[in-house]
């Protein structure tokens, strides 16, 4: 009869072979690393794409970070339009100027209009950092929409430089002077904002009109 297996016997965990070394040499590890397959990656291969911003043929005359507001006629109030870098660009061939502003991070155009003769710019009353002007904005529609904008800059010197370059660009553009229509120039003139002095408006509106004032009583003479 065959012997019964001993339940208390322990088998060796490792089998030793005469022709197989216990430890790998450095040469064997290096050879194994060279032939080891690379792990597969599910990430798609990315190719570099060149994006044209449309400003390649223009020189940057002015660039400063600021906040832009646009006036809404329906609500009769200023609303924030964009916050980013505003630039004044000059075309290398035509020498024409334009103002462009892109929003931070997404670089979407918030303002894009040409500088033409007849345009005016001014500071907001009691402020040397806020500028007001009217323009024909092409950021939303290709044909352009006449609108009024307000620019707030951090420093007074930056606002003064923008105003100076803005006025010089409008006066140094002979092509726009020859082709601009006088009626179109009138649309671009800066109009005083009716809400710049709201307290005065409410005070004047509260005053009664001459027709609403009660008639004064005249004394009646009685015969003695």
């Amino acid at each position: 009869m065959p012997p019964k297996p001993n339940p208390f016997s322990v088998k060796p965990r490792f089998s030793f072979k005469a022709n197989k070394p216990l430890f790998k040499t450095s040469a064997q590890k290096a050879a194994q690393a060279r032939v080891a397959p690379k792990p597969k990656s599910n990430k798609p291969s990315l190719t570099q794409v060149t994006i044209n911003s449309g400003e390649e043929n223009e020189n940057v005359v002015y660039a400063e970070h600021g906040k832009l507001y646009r006036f809404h006629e329906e609500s009769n109030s200023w609303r924030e339009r964009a916050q980013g870098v505003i630039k004044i660009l000059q075309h290398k061939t035509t020498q024409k100027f334009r103002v462009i502003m892109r929003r931070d991070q997404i670089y979407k155009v918030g303002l894009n209009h040409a500088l033409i003769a007849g345009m005016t710019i001014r500071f907001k009353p009691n402020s040397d950092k806020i500028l007001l002007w009217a323009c024909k904005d092409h950021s939303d529609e290709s044909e352009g929409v006449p609108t009024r904008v307000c620019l707030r800059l951090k420093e007074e010197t930056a606002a003064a430089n923008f105003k100076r370059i803005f006025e010089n660009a409008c006066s140094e553009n002979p092509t726009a002077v020859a082709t601009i229509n006088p009626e179109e120039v009138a649309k671009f003139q800066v109009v005083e904002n009716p809400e710049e002095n709201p307290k005065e408006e409410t005070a004047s509106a509260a005053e009664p009109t001459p027709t609403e004032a009660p008639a004064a009583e005249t004394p009646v003479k009685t015969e003695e």
Side-chain angles (χ1 to χ4, degrees), residues 199-209 212:
K199 295 182 180 180
E200 296 180 1
E201 286 192 359
T202 54
S204 60
E207 295 178 359
T209 56
E212 295 176 354

Side-chain angles (χ1 to χ4, degrees), residues 99-134:
V99 177
I100 187 171
M101 185 175 190
R102 298 181 185 272
R103 295 180 175 90
D104 290 335
Q105 298 180 356
I106 60 176
Y107 300 105
K108 184 178 179 180
V109 179
L111 179 67
N112 182 21
H113 70 86
L115 294 178
I116 58 178
M119 295 181 65
T120 57
I121 185 172
R122 65 179 176 87
F123 285 106
K124 185 180 179 181
N126 302 326
S127 178
D128 294 335
K129 300 180 182 179
I130 302 177
L131 295 163
L132 301 170
W133 74 93

Side-chain angles (χ1 to χ4, degrees), residues 5-207:
N6 188 2
F8 299 99
S9 63
V10 179
K11 297 181 179 180
R13 297 182 178 180
F14 305 98
S15 60
F16 299 94
K17 294 182 180 180
N19 298 330
K20 186 176 181 181
L22 296 177
F23 304 99
K24 295 182 180 180
T25 61
S26 58
Q28 291 176 345
K29 292 181 180 180
Q32 185 178 2
R34 287 195 297 268
V35 299
K38 296 182 180 180
K40 295 182 179 181
S41 177
N42 296 328
K43 295 181 179 180
S45 58
L46 302 178
T47 57
Q48 187 175 2
V49 179
T50 303
I51 300 176
N52 297 326
S53 61
E55 305 175 11
E56 290 75 18
N57 297 327
E58 295 172 302
N59 296 323
V60 180
V61 182
Y62 178 91
E64 193 72 29
H65 192 276
K67 186 179 291 187
L68 186 73
Y69 299 85
R70 188 166 66 176
F71 187 77
H72 285 253
E73 300 290 345
E74 297 178 357
S75 60
N76 197 27
S77 61
W78 292 95
R79 295 183 182 178
E80 183 177 346
R81 173 64 175 173
Q83 185 173 357
V85 177
I86 187 167
K87 299 178 183 179
I88 297 180
L89 306 176
Q90 184 181 16
H91 199 274
K92 298 178 182 179
T93 306
T94 61
Q95 302 300 318
K96 292 183 179 180
F97 295 88
R98 68 165 174 155
V99 177
I100 187 171
M101 185 175 190
R102 298 181 185 272
R103 295 180 175 90
D104 290 335
Q105 298 180 356
I106 60 176
Y107 300 105
K108 184 178 179 180
V109 179
L111 179 67
N112 182 21
H113 70 86
L115 294 178
I116 58 178
M119 295 181 65
T120 57
I121 185 172
R122 65 179 176 87
F123 285 106
K124 185 180 179 181
N126 302 326
S127 178
D128 294 335
K129 300 180 182 179
I130 302 177
L131 295 163
L132 301 170
W133 74 93
C135 62
K136 196 171 185 179
D137 186 18
H138 296 266
S139 59
D140 293 334
E141 299 182 9
S142 58
E143 297 180 357
V145 178
T147 182
R148 284 183 285 170
V149 294
C150 172
L151 176 64
R152 182 192 296 271
L153 298 173
K154 295 182 180 180
E155 299 179 357
E156 297 178 0
T157 55
N161 291 335
F162 182 87
K163 183 176 182 296
R164 176 179 55 83
I165 297 174
F166 189 102
E167 293 174 344
N168 293 339
C170 292
S171 61
E172 295 176 0
N173 199 344
T175 306
V177 174
T179 58
I180 192 63
N181 187 1
E183 297 179 358
E184 196 172 5
V185 173
K187 298 180 182 179
F188 299 151
Q189 298 296 333
V190 176
V191 182
E192 295 290 339
N193 184 7
E195 289 200 352
E196 286 183 355
N197 299 319
K199 295 182 180 180
E200 296 180 1
E201 286 192 359
T202 54
S204 60
E207 295 178 359

